[in-house]
Amino acid sequence: MTVYQAPLEEIRFALGVSRCMNDQAAASNFEADEVDAILLQCSKLAERVFSPLNALGDREGCRFENVVVTTPPGFKDAYSIFAKAGWNGLGLPARLAGQAMPFAVAISISEMLNSANLSLAMGLMPTPGAIELIDRFGSERQKQIYLPRLISGEWTVTMALTEPQAGSDLGAIATRAYVEEGSLFIKGRKSLITWGEHDLTENIVHLVLARSPSGAPGVKGLSLYLVPKLRLEGGSNDVKCIGIEKKIGLKSSPTASLVFGENGGATAELLGKENGGLEQMFILLNQARLRVAAFALGSAERARQAAVGYAAVRVQGRDAQGKPTVIANHPDVRRMLTSMEARTEAIRFLIAYAASFVDGAHASLAETKVRLEILTPIVKAWCTETGFDVASTGVQIFGGLGYSEECEASQYFREARVHMIYEGTTGVQANDLIFRKIRLDGGCGARKLFSSIETSLMSESSVDDPGLLFVREKICASLALLKELTDSIVVQNGARLARLRANGAHYLMFSGTVLACWLTWLAATRATASDTRVADEFSRRKRKNARFLAAQYLAPAAALAESALSSRMFDLCEAGEIE
């Protein structure tokens, strides 16, 4: 098992690049020395506390017996160390006893914990969003009861949305709230609830999306409820775990099926206004989607480190002089290692860039909010698809050993697969991007994003490196095609909309590839600049990765998007020449 090492230099650099591209981020409370200290402390937590439990957790998993879930040895202590150190409060405002760090810093912390032990880190993900929801929509009484316990980590929280018969169709939710003798209760069943039952804390607060007592059919009749596992006045709250999933990965992250109200009703509290549940959940989901992208980054980085370590010691074949050599010297393995490094780096840049807009969006800055809304589905889908492919490449580098359960590459591959499903599949993200974002405002928000990329590409007049000039040329050509496809998407109607829904994922992935290549190019130009003060080797790797990404991935993504979405394709479909 490779010993995880937090890539602190890479994380610091990504934060700096994202800050340069966002005036709001540059103006935020972002003290470099303070951030460096926080990153260093988290790296110690990740490397010394979380990581040693990773392989053990995958091997032993969680146990379910008599409605009780037991996590692997060491998990409870690791969580206690995390909570007592105050990590839940990193991104919270000072009035909530937080450290008020920008969201980009908070999500960088997540990367390290995700890489170190993804199963354990998944249980931490919903808490910051839940704290924000209760702070914004909760009554004073709810704030006094729930916020201190969630911030301290005394209680954990879940997002209880999914139901067996509904899946992603929230309008089909059947769990219902009802009033009896003046008290509010919840009755129904939820499935696939991450960390829905565990032994890390005594109490678990379930954020339950359910139909209001007089709620209309569909999504308009949904409200959000606080349903603790234990009643506030003491005793069980009729929330029962009936089993945990036997998954191909993330075996020490219990995914529970929960029954509410089987024996008389689970006591609940309405959060915010009645029938406003969907609006509130989307606030939580949008942040969660960026955090899932960070899950993918954790998987990719861990898989990359493992592949690099193995390729450096695995002797197989001979070099040009006929001497035995490690596989890292074989050209095809070098290509795969470069692809893993370049794409992992691109994922990190994309997440940092999107995260830099979160604080401005919270401050109700209209243009910042629109930019974040455009970026979120792209970042979630592109990063998770790419992260899984990076983990898959890691298995390839390990060869036959990589396909064995005894190999760490197998674990990272299995764990990375769920990211593309979690919090909305790639198809769901594509439909969100195209129909709820781009078409809804006539493509205005997307055009402003493209314009900012174009301005950035043209403003770096000092670029004289031939390789970076090549990359800029490639990005400019791809950006022109992306703008053309976006304009086409805005005007599609009738039967073509079904084709758009079927092929929207290709457009999203092309958009993500253009953004990734731009940010990687920008990073390379900043690393090359004389005043950046980065080591020559670091700068060289940044230029290499920018060239590799543009040369290897822009053209295939562009070809797929164009073939799926161009006017010519639609014309052929309507003429019946292709299906």
Side-chain angles (χ1 to χ4, degrees):
M1 175 67 69
T2 306
V3 176
Y4 171 67
Q5 293 182 308
L8 290 175
E9 186 179 27
E10 298 291 345
I11 292 172
R12 291 190 194 102
F13 185 71
L15 286 171
V17 171
S18 69
R19 200 163 73 251
C20 289
M21 290 310 302
N22 184 349
D23 291 339
Q24 285 303 130
S28 66
N29 182 23
F30 199 108
E31 297 295 333
D33 291 344
E34 187 178 2
V35 170
D36 283 350
I38 289 171
L39 293 176
L40 179 61
Q41 288 305 311
C42 184
S43 72
K44 295 176 181 178
L45 175 68
E47 294 170 355
R48 301 174 186 178
V49 179
F50 275 43
S51 186
L53 301 173
N54 191 41
L56 178 146
D58 184 60
R59 184 172 62 250
E60 297 197 8
C62 293
R63 291 186 290 110
F64 174 76
E65 188 176 1
N66 297 326
V67 308
V68 174
V69 173
T70 304
T71 56
F75 271 54
K76 187 172 183 178
D77 290 339
Y79 173 78
S80 178
I81 292 170
F82 168 88
K84 288 179 180 178
W87 288 105
N88 273 338
L90 182 68
L92 299 179
R95 62 182 176 80
L96 293 179
Q99 299 180 52
M101 279 288 109
F103 183 77
V105 176
I107 208 163
S108 295
I109 294 300
S110 297
E111 176 198 334
M112 290 185 272
L113 299 179
N114 296 342
S115 292
N117 191 324
L118 185 59
S119 284
L120 180 54
M122 290 189 82
L124 315 175
M125 187 267 277
T127 299
I131 291 170
E132 180 186 345
L133 280 186
I134 295 171
D135 186 44
R136 289 179 62 175
F137 299 105
S139 66
E140 286 305 313
R141 173 186 164 278
Q142 289 171 338
K143 292 177 185 180
Q144 291 173 10
I145 291 173
Y146 292 97
L147 288 181
R149 291 169 173 84
L150 292 178
I151 293 169
S152 69
E154 180 185 349
W155 295 352
T156 59
V157 69
T158 74
M159 297 163 55
L161 284 71
T162 307
E163 297 184 6
Q165 81 292 341
S168 298
D169 182 9
L170 298 180
I173 282 178
T175 298
R176 178 174 289 277
Y178 63 95
V179 178
E180 189 173 280
E181 297 182 356
S183 296
L184 187 66
F185 297 93
I186 291 284
K187 189 175 182 65
R189 178 174 175 176
K190 296 289 182 178
S191 61
L192 302 175
I193 307 305
T194 301
W195 283 89
E197 177 59 32
H198 58 79
D199 60 355
L200 302 188
T201 59
E202 183 181 19
N203 206 359
I204 304 169
V205 181
H206 303 288
L207 285 172
V208 180
L209 194 62
R211 201 155 300 285
S212 308
S214 57
V219 297
K220 293 183 179 180
L222 298 175
S223 298
L224 195 60
Y225 299 93
L226 296 168
V227 186
K229 171 186 172 181
L230 302 177
R231 296 178 188 269
L232 300 180
E233 61 273 18
S236 173
N237 192 26
D238 199 8
V239 180
K240 179 181 177 183
C241 177
I242 59 172
I244 56 175
E245 301 297 328
K246 295 181 178 180
K247 301 172 294 186
I248 63 173
L250 297 168
K251 295 180 180 179
S252 48
S253 172
T255 303
S257 294
L258 302 175
V259 175
F260 295 84
E262 186 178 55
N263 298 303
T267 301
E269 295 185 49
L270 175 67
L271 180 63
K273 64 181 181 180
E274 194 170 51
N275 300 324
L278 197 64
E279 175 189 353
Q280 295 166 24
M281 284 307 302
F282 268 116
I283 294 172
L284 191 62
L285 282 173
N286 283 334
Q287 187 182 117
R289 285 169 176 170
L290 293 181
R291 291 187 180 276
V292 173
F295 288 161
L297 174 55
S299 292
E301 176 61 31
R302 193 68 188 261
R304 186 198 68 79
Q305 290 191 20
V308 168
Y310 181 74
V313 299
R314 170 59 167 157
V315 177
Q316 185 172 312
R318 297 180 180 274
D319 61 18
Q321 287 73 43
K323 297 179 180 179
T325 186
V326 294
I327 63 172
N329 292 327
H330 295 324
D332 65 321
V333 175
R334 287 204 304 271
R335 173 189 57 79
M336 288 189 287
L337 289 172
T338 300
S339 78
M340 294 180 77
E341 179 182 292
R343 289 182 294 167
T344 299
E345 182 177 275
I347 294 171
R348 185 177 291 113
F349 288 141
L350 263 175
I351 293 171
Y353 179 61
S356 72
F357 290 94
V358 169
D359 297 308
H362 283 175
S364 298
L365 299 172
E367 190 166 335
T368 300
K369 187 175 181 180
V370 171
R371 178 66 53 85
L372 181 61
E373 287 177 347
I374 292 287
L375 288 171
T376 296
I378 297 174
V379 172
K380 192 279 174 183
W382 192 90
C383 292
T384 56
E385 292 276 353
T386 303
F388 174 68
D389 199 44
V390 169
S392 178
T393 303
V395 173
Q396 189 74 8
I397 289 174
F398 274 85
L401 179 62
Y403 199 64
S404 166
E405 289 283 14
E406 304 302 317
C407 178
E408 60 181 309
S410 167
Q411 178 185 350
Y412 310 141
F413 173 77
R414 288 182 282 105
E415 291 181 344
R417 186 59 186 86
V418 78
H419 305 324
M420 293 177 280
I421 301 169
Y422 201 42
E423 304 303 347
T425 64
T426 301
V428 168
Q429 304 303 324
N431 281 334
D432 178 45
L433 173 66
I434 290 171
F435 291 96
R436 295 191 185 94
K437 308 294 170 58
I438 292 176
R439 284 176 60 86
L440 204 60
D441 73 349
C444 180
R447 291 190 193 96
K448 287 183 178 179
L449 171 60
F450 302 153
S451 177
S452 70
I453 296 173
E454 207 164 36
T455 299
S456 168
L457 289 166
M458 294 302 104
S459 65
E460 297 289 342
S461 57
S462 61
V463 176
D464 56 7
D465 179 85
L468 294 182
L469 290 172
F470 160 81
V471 173
R472 181 166 69 180
E473 180 182 332
K474 290 289 186 183
I475 298 172
C476 287
S478 294
L479 184 61
L481 175 59
L482 182 57
K483 291 161 70 176
E484 179 184 330
L485 291 177
T486 303
D487 291 340
S488 173
I489 281 172
V490 171
V491 300
Q492 298 304 327
N493 54 46
R496 292 186 174 186
L497 294 182
R499 299 286 179 181
L500 198 54
R501 291 184 185 277
N503 295 287
H506 299 317
Y507 170 82
L508 181 150
M509 291 301 292
F510 179 41
S511 301
T513 304
V514 171
L515 281 165
C517 286
W518 165 57
L519 288 169
T520 305
W521 171 85
L522 180 66
T525 63
R526 297 298 163 89
T528 305
S530 59
D531 60 347
T532 306
R533 297 181 182 177
V534 297
D536 288 343
E537 173 58 22
F538 186 89
S539 175
R540 186 196 67 79
R541 285 194 293 106
K542 293 293 171 279
R543 294 195 299 274
K544 176 197 69 174
N545 290 340
R547 292 194 304 271
F548 185 90
L549 208 61
Q552 294 277 330
Y553 291 99
L554 262 180
L560 190 57
E562 185 176 22
S563 67
L565 296 174
S566 69
S567 298
R568 173 64 177 158
M569 177 271 188
F570 284 123
D571 292 341
L572 290 173
C573 288
E574 291 185 348
E577 294 182 34
I578 59 175
E579 291 297 325

